[in-house]
Amino acid sequence: MEKLKKYVSVKDEDHFYHQGAVELLIFNFLLILTILTIWLFKNHRFRFLHETGGAMLYGLVMGLIIRYVTKSPDVESGTVYECEKLKSGPSTLLINITNQVYEYQYKREISHHNVNGHQGNAMLQKMTFDPSIFFNILLPPIIFHAGYSLKKRHFFRNLGSILTYAFLGTAISCIVIGLIMYGFVKAMVHMGQLKQGEFHFTDCLYFGSLMSATDPVTVLAIFHELNVDTDLYTLLFGESVLNDAVAIVLTHSISIYSPKENPNAFDAAAFFQSVGNFLGIFAGSFAMGSSYAVVTALISFMHLTKFTKLCEFPMLETGLFFLLSWSAFLSAEAAGLTGIVAVLFCGVTQAHYTYNNLSPDSKMRTKQLFEFMNFLAENVIFCYMGLALFTFQNHIFNPLFIFGALVAVFVARASNIYPLSFLLNLGRKQKIPGNFQHMMMFSG
């Protein structure tokens, strides 16, 4: 019996590694398809669909295949056992089954109506979107590349307008979406689609902060190919880069806003605490990213002035540059700040100071390395998003909520762009014309 148990455990371990290889092979296959599609689009000058849209479509198809072709587990995986003695969900659970103790770890909460026979499907679980992979591996190179490849002259010329859209605009968008969604939630309670107290106003604001981050990757790519007006490109690009960071910090601030009595009531102390946390996290992350960039700049300056001989080895210089840049993100996350803000400003500062101190070989290598990583990470994310529609097993589809979200996003974007553009035009020498505003509204 002991030999049989060892054989089964080894077999399960081998099966686990085989599934990991299958997962990577699927992503490889999707990326190869995406790259071939990009070549096809560029060859035929096809601009009606961007390559990221193609990557998402491929992910959708693959998710559909995995969902309905892979073998479902045994019936026991979809069975819910009652644990009446437990008052909350522990992170680790030890279960004694006929004198054999098994360890189980918490993954996520599952809605009752989503419990089904697919629940224990290992392939679906492995292909489901993993936030830790997204935030720690895929997102940092994209945000860093955005800061590192920034056209500084146009960016700083429009800095006031970009900061207004990114900070004030994101806050306006968050509040407008929160208010509209709260109205829809109340309507859903009256219609019996939601229970009273299931959604609080802070939940709607939290949703609003998530939806306020814009990512006009397709529009910016087409703008780049068509060589549109530089100011329009800079305004849209600058806002989209900064408001990602603002939205993440805003989301964190709303999540820790907790009125003591009624979650729907306004609590001044909790509000000011959240605002203080927002400013503290943003300032701390900015300082962390900038200091890493200054350290890298000093090291590269020492290379140039021959204090060290590292500039004679471009591979080592590029490796050190890359690791210090990633350390900015990881240090901010470890310190309880936001790595996105840190790595963004690290990229902006390094483009301004460190880049000019690098050896010619390292300049070319770092630029190509971050450009390649940005391209790969961006396409993996869009494939991942397509896959998640069918592989994620805890979706809740509510047509009224989805319709409300679409209305809220359009109204909030309009409430952000048009009033702020009007106010900015009062002080700008070079006005933001109406067609620019329409394009910015639609792109976001």
Side-chain angles (χ1 to χ4, degrees):
M1 282 297 289
E2 288 298 319
K3 283 182 180 178
L4 184 64
K5 280 180 185 175
K6 282 180 184 176
Y7 171 73
V8 169
S9 64
V10 169
K11 195 176 176 183
D12 287 343
E13 198 173 332
D14 285 346
H15 184 61
F16 175 80
Y17 286 122
H18 287 319
Q19 281 190 331
V22 170
E23 180 189 3
L24 290 172
L25 182 63
I26 287 168
F27 276 109
N28 258 12
F29 176 66
L30 288 173
L31 286 172
I32 289 166
L33 265 180
T34 305
I35 288 168
L36 290 174
T37 306
I38 293 168
W39 168 76
L40 200 66
F41 283 4
K42 289 188 182 298
N43 202 30
H44 294 281
R45 297 182 181 275
F46 184 79
R47 295 195 181 100
F48 296 101
L49 177 69
H50 191 250
E51 53 256 27
T52 49
M56 192 183 282
L57 285 174
Y58 291 141
L60 278 169
V61 174
M62 186 58 74
L64 191 65
I65 293 167
I66 293 169
R67 177 83 180 188
Y68 294 107
V69 172
T70 54
K71 188 176 71 172
S72 293
D74 56 1
V75 181
E76 291 291 311
S77 301
T79 306
V80 179
Y81 295 96
E82 302 296 331
C83 299
E84 294 174 2
K85 290 183 181 179
L86 293 176
K87 301 297 180 188
S88 61
S91 58
T92 305
L93 198 62
L94 299 176
I95 299 178
N96 188 340
I97 303 170
T98 61
N99 292 326
Q100 292 288 328
V101 179
Y102 298 92
E103 181 183 359
Y104 293 88
Q105 285 190 325
Y106 172 83
K107 288 191 76 174
R108 61 181 179 273
E109 186 183 350
I110 296 171
S111 181
H112 279 291
H113 72 272
N114 276 326
V115 176
N116 53 51
H118 285 287
Q119 211 64 54
N121 192 324
M123 180 58 79
L124 285 180
Q125 286 176 0
K126 286 180 77 65
M127 298 303 286
T128 298
F129 198 90
D130 187 341
S132 61
I133 291 174
F134 173 73
F135 273 103
N136 293 322
I137 296 171
L138 297 176
L139 201 55
I142 293 174
I143 301 295
F144 182 85
H145 179 259
Y148 195 61
S149 62
L150 207 62
K151 291 178 181 175
K152 295 186 289 293
R153 187 167 61 88
H154 295 287
F155 180 81
F156 288 109
R157 192 173 70 190
N158 292 286
L159 185 61
S161 302
I162 288 168
L163 291 175
T164 304
Y165 288 126
F167 282 85
L168 193 55
T170 305
I172 290 169
S173 181
C174 170
I175 292 164
V176 171
I177 291 174
L179 288 169
I180 293 172
M181 290 314 299
Y182 191 59
F184 271 92
V185 164
K186 286 290 183 187
M188 287 163 71
V189 169
H190 285 298
M191 293 169 67
Q193 294 187 17
L194 278 178
K195 293 175 185 175
Q196 186 70 39
E198 202 169 347
F199 265 87
H200 299 297
F201 181 58
T202 47
D203 298 326
C204 296
L205 273 181
Y206 189 86
F207 180 75
S209 64
L210 290 172
M211 292 295 104
S212 297
T214 63
D215 187 21
V217 59
T218 309
V219 181
L220 289 170
I222 293 169
F223 277 7
H224 184 71
E225 284 180 23
L226 296 177
N227 295 317
V228 298
D229 187 275
T230 315
D231 282 332
L232 172 61
Y233 183 92
T234 306
L235 285 170
L236 195 58
F237 175 75
E239 184 214 351
S240 71
V241 166
L242 286 177
N243 87 342
D244 279 353
V246 173
I248 286 168
V249 180
L250 195 59
T251 303
H252 179 71
S253 302
I254 291 168
S255 70
I256 58 175
Y257 170 82
S258 51
K260 291 177 176 61
E261 301 295 331
N262 180 9
N264 285 318
F266 176 77
D267 186 330
F271 173 75
F272 284 115
Q273 185 187 356
S274 292
V275 171
N277 275 304
F278 175 85
L279 296 173
I281 289 169
F282 207 95
S285 304
F286 170 78
M288 180 83 75
S290 301
S291 24
Y292 265 99
V294 169
V295 168
T296 317
L298 286 171
I299 291 170
S300 58
F301 177 73
M302 288 168 69
H303 300 167
L304 279 184
T305 50
K306 305 299 179 188
F307 280 106
T308 68
K309 301 273 185 178
L310 198 61
C311 59
E312 295 175 11
F313 306 98
M315 185 69 78
L316 301 181
E317 193 179 18
T318 305
L320 189 63
F321 183 94
F322 170 77
L323 291 172
L324 280 170
S325 304
W326 201 3
S327 297
F329 175 86
L330 296 173
S331 300
E333 290 292 324
L337 303 169
T338 172
I340 299 302
V341 177
V343 81
L344 170 66
F345 285 105
C346 179
V348 171
T349 313
Q350 285 190 348
H352 197 64
Y353 295 108
T354 315
Y355 181 77
N356 295 321
N357 292 339
L358 294 173
S359 63
D361 273 357
S362 295
K363 281 182 182 179
M364 184 182 70
R365 286 185 187 200
T366 53
K367 208 163 189 178
Q368 287 178 346
L369 172 69
F370 288 117
E371 193 175 356
F372 171 71
M373 289 183 71
N374 169 70
F375 166 78
L376 212 58
E378 205 167 70
N379 283 289
V380 169
I381 285 172
F382 279 93
C383 290
Y384 225 159
M385 285 168 65
L387 275 166
L389 186 63
F390 292 107
T391 56
F392 185 62
Q393 300 170 58
N394 207 19
H395 285 302
I396 298 174
F397 287 100
N398 187 301
L400 187 58
F401 191 92
I402 293 167
F403 174 73
L406 284 169
V407 170
V409 165
F410 271 94
V411 173
R413 186 65 184 167
S415 306
N416 167 358
I417 295 298
Y418 295 120
L420 291 182
S421 299
F422 173 76
L423 292 173
L424 288 168
N425 279 340
L426 296 176
R428 276 178 68 107
K429 289 180 181 177
Q430 196 172 348
K431 309 296 181 191
I432 303 170
N435 57 346
F436 280 25
Q437 293 176 38
H438 300 325
M439 197 66 227
M440 288 177 70
M441 187 272 176
F442 178 75
S443 302

PDB file of all heavy atoms in Angstrom, residues 13 139 186 278 323 360:
ATOM      1  N   GLU A  13       2.411  14.306  -9.430  1.00  0.00           N
ATOM      2  CA  GLU A  13       3.408  15.371  -9.586  1.00  0.00           C
ATOM      3  C   GLU A  13       3.829  15.502 -11.048  1.00  0.00           C
ATOM      4  O   GLU A  13       3.931  16.613 -11.581  1.00  0.00           O
ATOM      5  CB  GLU A  13       4.622  15.045  -8.716  1.00  0.00           C
ATOM      6  CG  GLU A  13       5.517  16.252  -8.460  1.00  0.00           C
ATOM      7  CD  GLU A  13       6.620  15.953  -7.476  1.00  0.00           C
ATOM      8  OE1 GLU A  13       6.427  15.078  -6.612  1.00  0.00           O
ATOM      9  OE2 GLU A  13       7.685  16.580  -7.595  1.00  0.00           O
ATOM     10  N   LEU A 139       2.830  43.521 -15.889  1.00  0.00           N
ATOM     11  CA  LEU A 139       2.552  44.964 -15.897  1.00  0.00           C
ATOM     12  C   LEU A 139       3.793  45.850 -15.783  1.00  0.00           C
ATOM     13  O   LEU A 139       3.881  46.861 -16.497  1.00  0.00           O
ATOM     14  CB  LEU A 139       1.544  45.298 -14.785  1.00  0.00           C
ATOM     15  CG  LEU A 139       0.762  46.607 -14.926  1.00  0.00           C
ATOM     16  CD1 LEU A 139       0.032  46.664 -16.266  1.00  0.00           C
ATOM     17  CD2 LEU A 139      -0.219  46.770 -13.791  1.00  0.00           C
ATOM     18  N   LYS A 186     -29.670  50.590  -6.868  1.00  0.00           N
ATOM     19  CA  LYS A 186     -30.958  50.833  -6.176  1.00  0.00           C
ATOM     20  C   LYS A 186     -32.126  50.332  -7.013  1.00  0.00           C
ATOM     21  O   LYS A 186     -33.083  49.734  -6.484  1.00  0.00           O
ATOM     22  CB  LYS A 186     -31.122  52.338  -5.895  1.00  0.00           C
ATOM     23  CG  LYS A 186     -30.255  52.871  -4.765  1.00  0.00           C
ATOM     24  CD  LYS A 186     -30.733  52.342  -3.423  1.00  0.00           C
ATOM     25  CE  LYS A 186     -29.952  52.909  -2.252  1.00  0.00           C
ATOM     26  NZ  LYS A 186     -30.311  52.255  -0.986  1.00  0.00           N
ATOM     27  N   PHE A 278      -3.916  58.254   0.160  1.00  0.00           N
ATOM     28  CA  PHE A 278      -3.723  58.438  -1.283  1.00  0.00           C
ATOM     29  C   PHE A 278      -2.478  59.276  -1.549  1.00  0.00           C
ATOM     30  O   PHE A 278      -1.600  58.890  -2.326  1.00  0.00           O
ATOM     31  CB  PHE A 278      -4.960  59.111  -1.885  1.00  0.00           C
ATOM     32  CG  PHE A 278      -4.815  59.465  -3.341  1.00  0.00           C
ATOM     33  CD1 PHE A 278      -5.091  58.520  -4.318  1.00  0.00           C
ATOM     34  CD2 PHE A 278      -4.399  60.718  -3.739  1.00  0.00           C
ATOM     35  CE1 PHE A 278      -4.948  58.828  -5.667  1.00  0.00           C
ATOM     36  CE2 PHE A 278      -4.247  61.040  -5.079  1.00  0.00           C
ATOM     37  CZ  PHE A 278      -4.530  60.087  -6.040  1.00  0.00           C
ATOM     38  N   LEU A 323      17.735  45.126 -13.697  1.00  0.00           N
ATOM     39  CA  LEU A 323      17.435  44.638 -12.346  1.00  0.00           C
ATOM     40  C   LEU A 323      17.161  45.780 -11.379  1.00  0.00           C
ATOM     41  O   LEU A 323      16.276  45.674 -10.514  1.00  0.00           O
ATOM     42  CB  LEU A 323      18.592  43.772 -11.840  1.00  0.00           C
ATOM     43  CG  LEU A 323      18.758  42.425 -12.560  1.00  0.00           C
ATOM     44  CD1 LEU A 323      20.030  41.729 -12.123  1.00  0.00           C
ATOM     45  CD2 LEU A 323      17.540  41.525 -12.320  1.00  0.00           C
ATOM     46  N   PRO A 360      27.157  53.271 -25.794  1.00  0.00           N
ATOM     47  CA  PRO A 360      26.318  53.171 -27.003  1.00  0.00           C
ATOM     48  C   PRO A 360      25.644  51.810 -27.161  1.00  0.00           C
ATOM     49  O   PRO A 360      24.466  51.721 -27.528  1.00  0.00           O
ATOM     50  CB  PRO A 360      27.305  53.427 -28.143  1.00  0.00           C
ATOM     51  CG  PRO A 360      28.385  54.253 -27.525  1.00  0.00           C
ATOM     52  CD  PRO A 360      28.493  53.780 -26.112  1.00  0.00           C
TER      53      PRO A 360
END
